[in-house]
């Protein structure tokens, strides 16, 4: 008989989402809440936090996939962890509906304080065939699948005789010219060329990489001159960078591009690999709450990270990260809010935890203020671009800055150690070029072995020699001969 889970009746701080904000809020508050007689509950469909800036390096074989995630169960041992999704929030009655990840019956969960930390999801457009032909790069599972797909297609192309099928397998397309898209195509280009060096059946000239960006420039976080340098750098590596260009159709892996500035380029071609990195948006679950939502789909908060409405602060309601419109008092986006990135999310989580705890004792809260220090990006071994406090870097110095920043920003000492170890190993032994097959069907080999094989057909009886077969007919004919007379 299945057991019915029993949840604590202690005053609850409910954290919705286990990403940057959720993890750090729980890390900073779990002991304090427990000692005060309450309980901190974190709800997320995944049992881990993903450090998303590492996804391109996971896809490129520089970082072991499990090292780019942080286990909730291991590091939040004084937190009540529920694997599922918050589907709605009724803050007026301090309750949330939770749908278990295993498909069980939804249940109601009461709380005292709620922290919205649901983050962002991939933003797509109604392009025909995109859902069937494309893959994103927002989760660790997508990064692993992408790495295996690229390596597998190179192997398959080596034995493919049909020129069109071979060309389609060796064409890799990324849509989106932001940090994620640029780092992804650069890491995959590096990995693919390293794989082809080991495969005499495929030539480097057969590899094709295409970057599609709808705007007139890439990477708005860096300066115009740096963005132009990145375009030149990618083109020097054989990447086709198509600016002011959009994907119009992707049915059956046949990609149709529109608005190409260079009319001599083919507007339609086949590609087995289509990677979508064209932006994110606030998690739409916030629309299933009774909190005010601003035009970009985020909840409205003040600098203290308290959710605010028409009549001021909403008691016991907090939000930060990509799901919140956090005012940027230093000057950020044109709408005056913080840029939705990991740099802000990590710092906002720490400030939110301090302010939530201070509110319990009516102490003064401190508003969130952090000037963006800049941006760093890695394009494969010893290649990158960075803008740090106004200082522009490119090449090896930028690559080192990228590794230094993200090595420090990776949550928990344990995960820092694992990632840095991966980097040292990759520098000495090269990136890992091993693909894992049948991850979507791991039982395939066992099922084939355990399935009874059909018995071979019984052998047909041996045929008698021609002379013996005709003998009875001759004898019979002799017996009938006199009667004929």
């Amino acid at each position: 008989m299945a057991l019915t889970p029993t949840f604590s009746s202690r005053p609850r701080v409910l954290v919705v989402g286990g990403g940057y904000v959720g993890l750090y809020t729980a890390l900073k508050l779990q002991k304090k809440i427990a000692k005060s007689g309450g309980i901190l509950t974190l709800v997320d469909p995944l049992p881990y936090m993903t450090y998303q800036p590492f996804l391109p390096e996971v896809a490129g074989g520089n970082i072991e996939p499990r090292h780019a995630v942080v286990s909730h169960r291991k590091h939040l041992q004084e937190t009540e962890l529920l694997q599922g999704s918050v589907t709605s929030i009724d803050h007026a009655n301090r309750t949330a509906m939770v749908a278990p990840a295993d498909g069980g019956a939804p249940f109601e969960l009461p709380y005292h304080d709620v922290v919205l930390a649901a983050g962002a999801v991939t933003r797509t457009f109604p392009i025909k065939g995109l859902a069937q032909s494309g893959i994103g790069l927002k989760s660790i599972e997508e990064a692993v699948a992408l790495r295996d797909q690229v390596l597998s297609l190179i192997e398959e192309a080596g034995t493919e005789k049909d020129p069109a099928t071979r060309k389609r397998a060796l064409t890799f397309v990324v849509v989106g010219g932001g940090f994620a898209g640029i780092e992804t195509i650069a890491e995959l280009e590096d990995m693919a060329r390293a794989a082809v060096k080991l495969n005499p059946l495929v030539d480097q000239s057969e590899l094709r990489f295409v970057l599609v960006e709808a705007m007139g420039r890439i990477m708005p976080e860096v300066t115009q001159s740096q963005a132009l340098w990145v375009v030149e750098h990618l083109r020097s590596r054989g990447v086709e960078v198509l600016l002011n260009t959009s994907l119009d159709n992707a049915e059956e892996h046949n990609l149709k591009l529109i608005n190409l500035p260079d009319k001599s380029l083919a507007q339609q071609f086949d590609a087995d690999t289509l990677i979508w990195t064209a932006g994110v948006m606030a998690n739409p679950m916030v629309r299933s709450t009774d909190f005010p939502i601003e035009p970009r789909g985020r909840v409205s908060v003040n600098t203290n990270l308290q959710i605010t409405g028409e009549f001021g602060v909403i008691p016991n309601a907090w939000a930060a990260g990509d799901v919140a419109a956090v005012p940027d008092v230093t000057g950020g986006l044109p709408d005056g809010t913080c840029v939705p990135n990991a740099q802000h999310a990590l710092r906002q989580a720490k400030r939110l935890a301090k302010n939530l705890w201070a509110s319990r004792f009516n102490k003064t809260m401190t508003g969130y203020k952090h000037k963006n220090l800049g941006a760093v990006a890695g394009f494969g071994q010893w290649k990158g671009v960075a803008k740090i406090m106004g200082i522009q870097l490119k090449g090896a110095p930028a690559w080192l800055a990228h590794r230094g920043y993200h090595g420090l920003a990776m949550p928990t000492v344990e995960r820092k150690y694992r990632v840095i170890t991966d980097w040292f190993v990759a520098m000495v032994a090269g990136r890992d070029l091993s693909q894992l097959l049948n991850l979507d069907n791991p039982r395939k080999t066992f099922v084939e072995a355990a399935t009874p094989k059909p018995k071979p057909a019984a052998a047909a009886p041996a045929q008698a020699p021609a002379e013996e077969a005709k003998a009875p007919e001759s004898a019979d004919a002799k017996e009938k001969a006199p009667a004929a007379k």
Side-chain angles (χ1 to χ4, degrees):
M1 184 176 67
L3 297 177
T4 302
T6 303
F7 303 110
S8 173
S9 60
R10 290 180 288 168
R12 175 177 284 105
V13 174
L14 174 61
V15 179
V16 182
Y20 303 108
V21 174
L23 175 71
Y24 271 94
T25 298
L27 282 172
K28 298 297 181 182
L29 284 177
Q30 59 179 355
K31 291 183 179 179
K32 294 178 179 178
I33 297 296
K35 288 181 179 179
S36 68
I39 188 168
L40 190 144
T41 300
L42 185 146
V43 180
D44 193 280
L46 298 174
Y48 49 77
M49 171 262 191
T50 302
Y51 191 73
Q52 293 177 7
F54 283 158
L55 293 181
E57 290 200 63
V58 170
N62 271 327
I63 295 178
E64 166 63 29
R66 284 184 176 84
H67 297 172
V69 301
V70 181
S71 167
H72 292 154
R73 190 68 65 183
K74 180 177 178 65
H75 296 282
L76 300 176
Q77 297 184 17
E78 295 185 67
T79 295
E80 181 182 56
L81 298 171
L82 302 181
Q83 198 169 335
S85 301
V86 172
T87 58
S88 64
I89 293 176
D90 178 7
H91 190 66
N93 294 302
R94 301 292 197 276
T95 59
M97 288 300 299
V98 179
D102 62 3
F107 56 87
E108 192 174 79
L109 194 66
Y111 63 81
H112 182 271
D113 287 271
V114 64
V115 177
L116 287 186
V121 298
T122 300
R123 180 188 62 186
T124 59
F125 301 102
I127 299 173
K128 291 183 178 180
L130 178 60
Q132 293 74 33
S133 303
I135 184 173
L137 195 64
K138 196 77 171 60
S139 69
I140 199 72
E141 292 82 4
E142 289 175 320
V144 173
L146 186 56
R147 168 182 163 183
D148 290 340
Q149 177 175 320
V150 171
L151 294 173
S152 295
L153 286 171
I154 291 174
E155 290 295 324
E156 293 169 13
T159 56
E160 178 58 56
K161 301 303 181 183
D162 179 57
T165 303
R166 187 181 178 103
K167 185 176 182 179
R168 165 176 163 164
L170 297 175
T171 300
F172 309 99
V173 180
V174 174
V175 178
F179 264 65
I182 300 298
E183 289 186 311
T184 298
I185 201 166
E187 287 286 349
L188 291 181
E189 187 267 346
D190 246 14
M191 180 183 72
R193 297 204 183 279
V196 168
K197 284 181 181 179
L198 303 177
N199 190 336
L201 300 177
V202 181
D203 190 79
Q204 296 284 354
S205 63
E206 295 183 272
L207 294 173
R208 184 187 183 191
F209 298 90
V210 182
L211 177 72
V212 178
E213 168 54 45
M215 305 299 290
R217 63 162 289 181
I218 61 172
M219 302 176 73
E221 297 88 349
V222 301
T223 65
Q224 177 70 17
S225 61
Q226 285 182 306
L228 292 174
W229 177 85
V230 173
V231 171
E232 293 174 3
H233 170 76
L234 291 176
R235 286 174 174 165
S236 72
R237 294 165 60 172
V239 178
E240 299 173 36
V241 182
L242 306 179
L243 303 179
N244 296 307
T245 304
S246 301
L247 176 65
D248 183 59
N249 194 296
E251 292 178 290
E252 298 182 356
H253 292 274
N254 180 256
L255 310 187
K256 180 182 178 182
L257 305 180
I258 56 175
N259 304 325
L260 275 80
D262 187 348
K263 301 304 179 183
S264 65
L265 296 174
Q267 296 188 351
Q268 201 161 341
F269 57 89
D270 291 338
D272 279 329
T273 304
L274 170 62
I275 307 162
W276 182 270
T277 63
V280 296
M281 64 179 184
N283 195 317
M285 68 78 49
V286 300
R287 298 186 182 277
S288 299
T289 70
D290 50 357
F291 296 125
I293 307 297
E294 51 93 65
R296 295 182 62 185
R298 302 170 296 176
V299 292
S300 300
V301 299
N302 61 15
T303 56
N304 293 336
L305 305 174
Q306 298 168 292
I307 298 178
T308 57
E310 182 181 357
F311 303 106
V313 172
I314 298 175
N316 307 104
W318 312 78
D322 295 353
V323 80
V326 181
D328 186 355
V329 296
T330 67
L333 295 180
D335 63 358
T337 61
C338 292
V339 177
N341 61 20
Q343 184 181 142
H344 278 302
L346 294 174
R347 289 171 170 80
Q348 287 169 9
K350 296 176 183 179
R351 173 51 51 199
L352 188 155
K354 291 180 179 178
N355 283 347
L356 190 154
W357 188 246
S359 71
R360 291 287 182 92
F361 307 98
N362 294 319
K363 292 185 177 179
T364 302
M365 292 180 282
T366 303
Y368 176 74
K369 180 181 180 181
H370 174 71
K371 184 174 179 59
N372 198 324
L373 298 178
V376 291
F379 303 152
Q381 293 284 5
W382 304 106
K383 300 181 283 286
V385 68
K387 184 183 73 172
I388 306 172
M389 301 178 68
I391 300 174
Q392 299 181 31
L393 302 172
K394 59 184 179 182
W399 178 79
L400 290 171
H402 168 265
R403 293 235 158 151
Y405 172 77
H406 286 298
L408 292 173
M410 181 67 188
T412 78
V413 174
E414 173 239 349
R415 292 289 132 167
K416 294 181 197 292
Y417 175 78
R418 292 181 188 274
V419 167
I420 293 172
T421 300
D422 284 345
W423 284 339
F424 276 113
V425 171
M427 288 178 66
V428 176
R431 63 180 73 233
D432 193 337
L433 300 176
S434 301
Q435 73 267 35
L436 300 177
L437 303 178
N438 299 324
L439 288 179
D440 57 341
N441 185 16
R443 296 179 62 249
K444 178 182 178 181
T445 303
F446 175 77
V447 170
E448 290 175 352
T451 301
K453 305 298 185 292
K455 294 181 179 180
Q463 189 174 0
E467 294 77 4
E468 295 180 6
K470 292 179 179 179
E473 294 182 5
S474 300
D476 189 49
K478 289 179 180 178
E479 291 177 0
K480 293 180 179 178
K485 294 179 180 178

